[in-house]
Amino acid sequence: MPVALLALAVGAFGIGTTEFVMMGVLPLTAADFHIDIPSAGYFISAYALGVVIGAPLLTALAVRLPRKTMLLAMMGLFTVGNALFALSPNQDFGIAFRFLAGLPHGAFFGAGAVVASSLAQPGQRAKAVSMMFMGLTLANVIGVPLGTLLGQQVGWRATFGVVAVIGLLAIAAIAKLVPHQGRPADPSIRGELGAFRRPQVWLALAIVMFGLGGVFACMSYIAPMLTDVAGYSPANVTVLLSLAGVGMTIGNYLGGRLADKALMPSLYVALLALATVLAIFTVTAQGKVGAAVTIFFVGVAGFMIGPMMQARIMEKAGGTPSLVSAAVQSAFNIANSIGAYLGGLVIAGGLGLLAPNWVGALLAVLGVSIAAVSGLLDRREARVQKELALAS
């Protein structure tokens, strides 16, 4: 694998840390700004909104830039946003700076996935993309626990100051290790938007929104499941989340390799595995050992899907992959919102803390159904092309 992928992974590590560590230091920021926990939750929402808006907007604005320049610009904006958030004087400025930090998230991953794919040998492109995303999954294993610990010992501002430093390291690594990419072949927003006229692109985004929504239906409420149902102490939740992060890292690794061998069959298996594991979690969550083992496999099954879908959507975008690649990150955050909303809905409806797992299983089954439709279209297109070839 090219050493340039290491530079992309460092950037992904920083982005993954800032996205998820906010959950760990949320009580600290609430106390510092003298607000309640629900109000501090706006720091999470503001970042997610920045991702959803920034992914298509910044990719469109920078469509004529060489992709290395795009990566450097996005990581620069990320670094500034996190540094400013660490210096926020009040809640309003904090929300604005979290939004700013979220803006480059999707555009960075969109451009990074295209660059990673271009650096890989044929037949290893999904593997290359998964190596970049390895930084994102390792953030859940290393960055988030250490960032939370740093926040508890020194203060939450130190956590985001360190994230800004990681951003600077990523800028230096990208500048040094990523080769010059040149301008995109079709540097026009019209060409990029043209990819969205393809039904397969929308089906791929739908698989992400609903299939991965199953992961977030579970993970959004994992803390009360582990404490109130499985019987763990709050202090052990961070360790268990790291275990889930290990599962995510393994799943990401496997997903990239399986996607290069047999993308659609592997996708079907991953989504069905996710649905099965989430359904099983409704039973195993009632015991400590069962909960720990199952949460690991939720991470494995859920994050196998990521590199598969990134590879799938770039394949269906044809020669204009930047905007649709960035749109995957918007779809990822929409999946987060859908899963969290539906999971909260069933809890509020009195169905219990484990009910989000059933919601997650159903969302994963919906993802499989959409993937099956996409696979049918693949076979129909292949049959039409074969008939045309025979006719000529």
Side-chain angles (χ1 to χ4, degrees):
M1 285 287 107
V3 70
L5 296 179
L6 176 62
L8 300 178
V10 173
F13 180 84
I15 289 174
T17 300
T18 201
E19 181 176 18
F20 296 113
V21 79
M22 191 72 244
M23 301 171 190
V25 300
L26 202 64
L28 303 174
T29 58
D32 189 26
F33 289 130
H34 306 291
I35 57 178
D36 57 21
I37 293 294
S39 296
Y42 289 128
F43 295 132
I44 297 173
S45 301
Y47 186 91
L49 182 62
V51 177
V52 173
I53 293 175
L57 179 63
L58 294 182
T59 301
L61 290 175
V63 70
R64 295 181 182 276
L65 291 178
R67 292 196 174 103
K68 180 175 180 176
T69 304
M70 172 73 163
L71 290 170
L72 290 169
M74 294 304 100
M75 193 48 57
L77 183 58
F78 166 84
T79 302
V80 170
N82 280 281
L84 289 174
F85 179 60
L87 301 172
S88 301
N90 56 47
Q91 181 191 10
D92 292 337
F93 275 97
I95 289 172
F97 293 144
R98 278 290 284 176
F99 176 80
L100 180 66
L103 283 173
H105 177 128
F108 177 85
F109 278 118
V114 176
V115 170
S117 179
S118 70
L119 294 173
Q121 296 295 323
Q124 293 189 324
R125 290 176 178 174
K127 178 182 176 182
V129 172
S130 74
M131 294 305 294
M132 178 188 71
F133 278 93
M134 191 70 73
L136 181 65
T137 57
L138 285 174
N140 287 282
V141 181
I142 301 171
V144 173
L146 290 182
T148 300
L149 182 63
L150 178 65
Q152 291 169 343
Q153 299 299 317
V154 183
W156 69 268
R157 296 179 188 274
T159 298
F160 290 94
V162 170
V163 170
V165 171
I166 295 172
L168 290 175
L169 292 174
I171 290 171
I174 291 167
K176 177 71 174 178
L177 300 177
V178 175
H180 180 68
Q181 295 290 301
R183 294 181 183 274
D186 182 11
S188 71
I189 187 60
R190 180 178 296 179
E192 292 285 344
L193 288 173
F196 288 94
R197 291 196 294 266
R198 298 167 186 166
Q200 288 281 32
V201 167
W202 287 105
L203 286 171
L205 292 174
I207 295 168
V208 174
M209 286 188 285
F210 294 106
L212 280 172
V215 177
F216 292 109
C218 168
M219 295 303 294
S220 296
Y221 304 97
I222 193 65
M225 287 184 205
L226 293 174
T227 55
D228 297 359
V229 180
Y232 281 102
S233 68
N236 288 325
V237 171
T238 300
V239 176
L240 290 165
L241 290 178
S242 295
L243 181 62
V246 173
M248 293 173 188
T249 303
I250 293 172
N252 178 73
Y253 178 87
L254 292 174
R257 279 143 188 80
L258 291 172
D260 283 325
K261 295 181 182 298
L263 199 160
M264 289 307 290
S266 299
L267 179 61
Y268 300 146
V269 170
L271 287 165
L272 287 171
L274 177 61
T276 302
V277 172
L278 288 171
I280 290 172
F281 196 29
T282 60
V283 177
T284 58
Q286 299 179 53
K288 287 187 176 181
V289 175
V293 171
T294 312
I295 195 176
F296 170 80
F297 283 106
V298 169
V300 173
F303 274 71
M304 283 174 65
I305 299 166
M308 293 177 185
M309 293 314 305
Q310 196 76 52
R312 175 72 173 173
I313 203 163
M314 286 166 52
E315 172 190 303
K316 295 305 176 184
T320 53
S322 296
L323 192 56
V324 292
S325 182
V328 172
Q329 298 304 312
S330 294
F332 186 87
N333 278 268
I334 293 171
N336 193 338
S337 300
I338 290 172
Y341 173 74
L342 293 177
L345 203 62
V346 294
I347 292 175
L351 298 179
L353 286 172
L354 296 181
N357 295 321
W358 285 117
V359 171
L362 292 173
L363 286 172
V365 169
L366 179 56
V368 174
S369 302
I370 299 169
V373 172
S374 183
L376 285 173
L377 287 179
D378 276 349
R379 289 190 288 275
R380 181 185 296 174
E381 291 167 5
R383 186 170 61 252
V384 169
Q385 290 175 1
K386 182 178 181 180
E387 290 172 354
L388 288 174
L390 291 173
S392 62

